[in-house]
Amino acid sequence: MPPSTTTVTTARPDNNDSKKTTKLRVSKETEMDTAPLPEFKEHDFFWTYTEEPHRTRRMAIIKAHPEVTKLCGPEPLTKYVVLGVVSLQILCAYLLRDTPFLSWKFFLTAYIIGATANQNLFLAIHEISHNLAFRSANANRAIAIVANLPIGIPYSASFRPYHLTHHKSLGVDGLDTDLPTAAEALFLDSILGKSFFCTFQILFYALRPTFIYAVPFTSIHFTNIFAQVLFDFILVKTCGWNALCYLILSSFLAGSLHPCAGHFIAEHYVFDPPSPSAKDPMTNTPIPETFSYYGVLNFLTYNVGLHNEHHDFPAIPWTRLHKLNEIANEFYCDLPRCESWVGVIWRFILDDKVGMRCRVKRKEGGRKVGGWKETEVEA
């Protein structure tokens, strides 16, 4: 269906509708052209019947500003940032080798430095999954494995195919592993449940994909696991178990109640859904399902906050996303946005109108990248 035929269902009346929809167009003509509204279902996800909006906006931006395509391509700075952050984490692990695990010095170093550094490495791997560190596919796979080392657990090889499918199949139930499952929505739909999710969300993001579908085990996965096990072994032998515990604790805290972890929720959770007939004024696409954040924490996180820009142009690296926004600002300036990652975490937990079901879902569409051919997984 074309974008003009979409509808989104939600049973929750929202007092903030007017605030969000002031930036979206609603017309009687549009409402008449849409397909019949689906049944309203209480305590359900927001279901839509059109493709994700980013392809439509990308085509509109390229038509209006063809020069944006020149922003695509690898960013040479990425590899140096990765090597610097990896070195920082190895240094911290070495310096804490004799510090008691149950001490404020150990915990605060892991939370303030370690979690921030490992969140940066999570997002370096995210960036590299789009082949944006080198032109060579093998070089990108290699630097991703290096970025993985201070995380303590091998995951970079598996992350890439799941993440690329997230782009190709945004919101598609059974394909987009970024979506909460029905079981998560059922059991975590309370303040206590959402607090549990936010505290342990790194585990949900790590384990959820394996319960939805499996990717083929390739030589890249073997190399990733071998390099990680060898690194962990050498670290324990030379610095002791405390050093490895520091790295793993840093990874856990990076995906827990940490300011930078707010991006996990801010990117695609719909906090204030507009009316089903609301449209993006520039592209006539439906309810926003991706939200950008333009705050200072982008400096630590490869500009992942510019998430609409990233989904519109996954081939543009982190250093040029602000330039994309500047060139095509009329496409982004009126979109709903996230103002604070910390505020997102607090509201997600405490607001009884916001929860695991506040995600746009599609019954069909999208695809697994390449049908999971080994050559594409390794490309």
Side-chain angles (χ1 to χ4, degrees), residues 204-238:
F204 285 89
Y205 282 100
L207 299 176
R208 182 193 297 143
T210 63
F211 289 98
I212 298 177
Y213 58 82
V215 297
F217 190 87
T218 70
S219 59
I220 298 296
H221 292 80
F222 176 80
T223 305
N224 185 197
I225 293 170
F226 177 80
Q228 191 65 57
V229 171
L230 180 62
F231 173 83
D232 291 351
F233 176 79
I234 293 172
L235 186 69
V236 170
K237 279 293 185 181
T238 57

Side-chain angles (χ1 to χ4, degrees), residues 87-141:
S87 300
L88 172 65
Q89 280 295 77
I90 293 173
L91 175 62
C92 288
Y94 172 78
L95 294 176
L96 290 173
R97 67 193 184 282
D98 297 322
T99 303
F101 180 80
L102 297 177
S103 67
W104 281 110
K105 180 180 179 181
F106 196 99
F107 178 83
L108 290 177
T109 304
Y111 186 84
I112 297 171
I113 298 177
T116 305
N118 276 12
Q119 183 66 247
N120 178 275
L121 292 172
F122 290 160
L123 294 167
I125 292 170
H126 165 267
E127 184 78 5
I128 294 163
S129 72
H130 293 284
N131 287 336
L132 291 177
F134 296 95
R135 295 194 181 279
S136 161
N138 287 335
N140 279 292
R141 301 297 82 75

Side-chain angles (χ1 to χ4, degrees), residues 19 40 71 78 112 134 144 168 191 227 242 272 285 294 311 336 374:
K19 180 174 70 174
F40 290 139
L71 300 175
T78 299
I112 297 171
F134 296 95
K168 294 288 186 182
I191 290 179
N242 260 20
D272 297 298
T285 52
Y294 299 101
H311 269 267
E374 181 169 337

Side-chain angles (χ1 to χ4, degrees), residues 14 34 44 69 77 146 153 166 171 183 193 203 218 279 287 309 323 335 351 358 378:
D14 195 336
T34 58
D44 200 0
T69 58
L77 180 62
V146 172
I153 298 170
H166 164 67
L203 301 181
T218 70
K279 303 291 179 183
I287 181 174
E309 292 84 346
K323 184 65 175 178
L335 293 178
D351 191 337
C358 291
E378 295 183 348

Side-chain angles (χ1 to χ4, degrees), residues 20 24 52-55 57 166-167 170-171 176 178 263 265-271 280 286-294 304-312 331-332 334-338 358-360 362:
K20 283 289 182 182
L24 299 172
E52 53 85 15
H54 297 288
R55 178 177 176 275
R57 186 159 56 238
H166 164 67
H167 276 267
L170 182 65
D176 184 357
D178 189 65
H263 82 87
I265 296 171
E267 288 165 359
H268 296 295
Y269 278 83
V270 182
F271 280 40
D280 179 335
I287 181 174
E289 56 193 278
T290 303
F291 302 89
S292 287
Y293 158 80
Y294 299 101
V304 74
L306 280 72
H307 217 63
N308 267 306
E309 292 84 346
H310 170 64
H311 269 267
D312 290 349
F331 288 88
Y332 297 112
D334 287 337
L335 293 178
R337 64 183 63 187
C338 168
C358 291
R359 290 291 299 265
V360 174
R362 296 172 171 80

Side-chain angles (χ1 to χ4, degrees), residues 181-194:
T181 63
E184 290 173 55
L186 176 64
F187 292 108
L188 301 176
D189 194 22
S190 65
I191 290 179
L192 183 61
K194 290 184 290 182

